[in-house]
Amino acid sequence: MKFIIDHFITVAIALLSGGALLWLSLAPRGRVASPLQATQMINRGKSTAVIDVRSVDAFAAGHLRDAKHIPLADLGNRTGELDKSKVKTIVVVDQDGKHAGKAARLLKAAGFEDIYGLEGGIAAWTAAGLPLIK
């Protein structure tokens, strides 16, 4: 107890940082699909749509086959372009899996229901040796 009192600031910082790490690991990020699961969804045929929310340059450098490109900054204003896909499973692709949750929330608010983020984004896709279209 004396240690905690004598080192109150150090203990408080340790508890806060530990709590922040725990919160990040437990925070809901929506549904995710591994590159293998996403490949299986895409290969099912017309029941899956791929939405790439990366920048124009990143999309031009390589993207998934048949992906529709709508940058994340424009997604809220352009969901109308995806109305035909409301009945489909949506796979959201970003660079590293960190922004797919935000895109999924925007799509959910627009009435889409079956949405997955690509776990690890395009980086995980290429690390798995899966092909990109340029």
Side-chain angles (χ1 to χ4, degrees), residues 32-54:
V32 294
S34 70
L36 175 62
Q37 291 168 324
T39 301
Q40 291 170 341
M41 288 181 205
I42 293 166
N43 288 339
R44 281 194 310 219
K46 298 184 184 282
S47 63
T48 303
V50 178
I51 311 300
D52 194 318
V53 297
R54 297 176 299 143

Side-chain angles (χ1 to χ4, degrees), residues 2 18 53 67 81 117 124:
K2 182 172 177 0
V53 297
E81 296 175 27

Side-chain angles (χ1 to χ4, degrees), residues 8 18 28 32 40 44 48 51 56 61 72 88 100 103 106 115 117 124 131:
F8 179 75
V32 294
Q40 291 170 341
R44 281 194 310 219
T48 303
I51 311 300
V56 173
L72 183 58
K88 295 182 178 184
L106 288 170
I115 309 162

Side-chain angles (χ1 to χ4, degrees), residues 74-123:
D74 300 337
L75 186 60
N77 298 324
R78 293 178 57 189
T79 56
E81 296 175 27
L82 304 171
D83 281 343
K84 292 179 182 177
S85 300
K86 279 193 178 182
V87 296
K88 295 182 178 184
T89 299
I90 304 289
V91 177
V92 178
V93 178
D94 63 358
Q95 186 61 40
D96 52 13
K98 295 181 182 173
H99 301 289
K102 181 178 180 181
R105 285 189 297 276
L106 288 170
L107 291 169
K108 189 81 161 168
F112 294 83
E113 294 184 18
D114 196 17
I115 309 162
Y116 292 84
L118 179 61
E119 185 176 31
I122 206 80

